[in-house]
Amino acid sequence: MKKVLTVLMLVPLLIGCSTELEIHDSISEEDQAVYHPLPIAKYKDGYYIQDNNTLYYIEENKNTLINYCYFRDDQFLEGNQRAYKRYASSIAAEMGFYVLDDAIYTLATYTNVEGETWDSFVQMSLDGKELKELFKLDFQPYSNFTIHNNKVYMIEDTSHMTIHILSLSGKELKTIKDTYADSFFISENKIYLRNAEFGHFSYIDENDEIINLPVKDNEYIEMINNDHVSSISYEDNTFNTLFSHYRSLTDTKDIHIFTNELVTYFDDQYIYTSQLSGMQKYRIYDLDANLIKEIIPSQSIQIEENNILSINGETDFSVICRVIDNKIIAYNYTGPIECNIDTGQCKYTVQ
């Protein structure tokens, strides 16, 4: 009888060890397709945002400090730089982070008491207090990563940019070499690759062959979303006149061309443009290129002259980074801003 009881007690333990983490939420194509130096993750009626190595949650007129992106033995204690017994870690939200199933998924760099360092895929609590290492990486990650159908996709920082596909327990499922991609996203189970240096976009077919998408000479693709592309080109390679193109994914014929305005965001209803020099103006067009709204951040926010950004010229505010819940998200050297599309009013969200 004693032996039987022992076996029965072991059964739930064995079952518990065999279950692997599953993520039921999915990442929208829109969240993946946008690649900007302001990490943002939508959550419920607000969003998480990283600014100056600090993570905040923004909702309505309130911002909540989550953490300073560092942990000691998987714990964050605000204002406490205590020594660690096992390891210290810092989350790398600039590589991207997602909020799925009421948890935050991102990458982190660890250093243990012996001085060893490594990178890991991690899960963080929504309040930013606890970190859980899901698996270590045996390569140096580069740029963004994504999660799709309970698989983790990320780029290895090599000269040929290998893509690794891993399970949520860290098991290597597949590697795709020689992608030459510095960022990517997944739509309808197809991996789209972007090379920012050359402005090329391609995708990986079911045979892991890399298929280049059609581009014109001197055209640099910026973004793909909803089966459409935004790209830029310059007049006679003089860089004096910027042309921003909006077209379908498979046809190089332009649907719209915007002159000296950069298409920095679009969805299934609107096209959003920004300026690269002078006073920043955010313009919103319908899909027929009719101007719906123009928002000038400096009409709401007064800034000091030394806080002017340099983005291929001189602008007082950045290009549009995201559009969330009818709000344009951007930034300048003071910090992130929100512009309410209905009222046209802009404000700093973190100060």
Side-chain angles (χ1 to χ4, degrees), residues 26-36 40-42 95-98 100 143-149 151-154 183-192 194 201 222-225 265 321-322:
S26 60
I27 302 170
S28 70
E29 180 179 313
E30 183 177 274
D31 284 346
Q32 297 180 79
V34 183
Y35 179 65
H36 281 289
I40 301 169
K42 177 80 175 72
M95 290 221 179
F97 65 99
Y98 301 107
L100 301 166
S143 185
N144 68 324
F145 75 96
T146 194
I147 304 166
H148 183 70
N149 289 341
K151 299 182 184 70
V152 181
Y153 296 70
M154 62 181 70
S183 61
F184 68 96
F185 74 100
I186 300 172
S187 175
E188 296 180 352
N189 296 314
K190 189 177 291 183
I191 304 173
Y192 288 92
R194 178 175 185 251
F201 243 111
E222 293 290 309
M223 177 181 170
I224 295 179
N225 193 9
Y265 197 86
C321 295
R322 286 288 300 278

Side-chain angles (χ1 to χ4, degrees), residues 220-224 228-232 245-247 263 266:
Y220 295 84
I221 292 180
E222 293 290 309
M223 177 181 170
I224 295 179
H228 286 79
V229 168
S230 68
S231 64
I232 60 171
H245 309 263
Y246 176 78
R247 61 176 175 81
V263 175
F266 59 88

Side-chain angles (χ1 to χ4, degrees), residues 1-17:
M1 176 64 76
K2 188 174 181 180
K3 182 183 287 187
V4 172
L5 287 173
T6 302
V7 172
L8 289 174
M9 290 174 66
L10 282 173
V11 169
L13 293 175
L14 291 172
I15 293 173
C17 292

Side-chain angles (χ1 to χ4, degrees), residues 9-146:
M9 290 174 66
L10 282 173
V11 169
L13 293 175
L14 291 172
I15 293 173
C17 292
S18 64
T19 58
E20 183 172 323
L21 172 69
E22 288 189 1
I23 296 175
H24 301 95
D25 286 347
S26 60
I27 302 170
S28 70
E29 180 179 313
E30 183 177 274
D31 284 346
Q32 297 180 79
V34 183
Y35 179 65
H36 281 289
L38 188 63
I40 301 169
K42 177 80 175 72
Y43 179 69
K44 292 189 175 179
D45 294 327
Y47 55 90
Y48 286 83
I49 187 169
Q50 186 197 38
D51 177 55
N52 288 329
N53 216 40
T54 303
L55 198 64
Y56 297 88
Y57 179 66
I58 311 294
E59 185 177 6
E60 294 301 329
N61 295 315
K62 180 183 178 182
N63 72 69
T64 302
L65 190 151
I66 301 302
N67 62 39
Y68 298 114
C69 299
Y70 65 78
F71 291 80
R72 301 291 183 267
D73 298 318
D74 294 334
Q75 301 290 314
F76 169 73
L77 300 173
E78 185 177 351
N80 187 344
Q81 295 275 7
R82 65 178 174 82
Y84 51 91
K85 297 179 180 179
R86 296 175 295 158
Y87 46 70
S89 52
S90 58
I91 63 172
E94 71 278 1
M95 290 221 179
F97 65 99
Y98 301 107
V99 182
L100 301 166
D101 287 358
D102 293 328
I104 298 171
Y105 294 89
T106 186
L107 302 178
T109 299
Y110 283 75
T111 302
N112 65 15
V113 290
E114 287 81 22
E116 300 170 310
T117 63
W118 66 91
D119 295 295
S120 290
F121 180 67
V122 296
Q123 180 190 71
M124 182 168 59
S125 61
L126 291 179
D127 62 7
K129 301 300 183 187
E130 296 184 3
L131 195 71
K132 180 180 180 181
E133 184 181 33
L134 297 180
F135 60 83
K136 294 181 180 180
L137 304 179
D138 58 6
F139 59 87
Q140 179 70 40
Y142 180 89
S143 185
N144 68 324
F145 75 96
T146 194

Side-chain angles (χ1 to χ4, degrees), residues 237-284:
N237 293 324
T238 61
F239 300 99
N240 292 324
T241 303
L242 169 75
F243 297 113
S244 198
H245 309 263
Y246 176 78
R247 61 176 175 81
S248 74
L249 184 65
T250 55
D251 189 348
T252 58
K253 183 179 179 181
D254 292 314
I255 298 173
H256 304 300
I257 301 178
F258 301 87
T259 303
N260 289 329
E261 295 179 53
L262 184 65
V263 175
T264 44
Y265 197 86
F266 59 88
D267 53 31
D268 57 359
Q269 289 185 295
Y270 300 108
I271 301 169
Y272 301 80
T273 70
S274 306
Q275 307 295 311
L276 289 179
S277 62
M279 180 188 297
Q280 187 58 267
K281 300 174 183 177
Y282 301 134
R283 290 181 176 140
I284 305 168

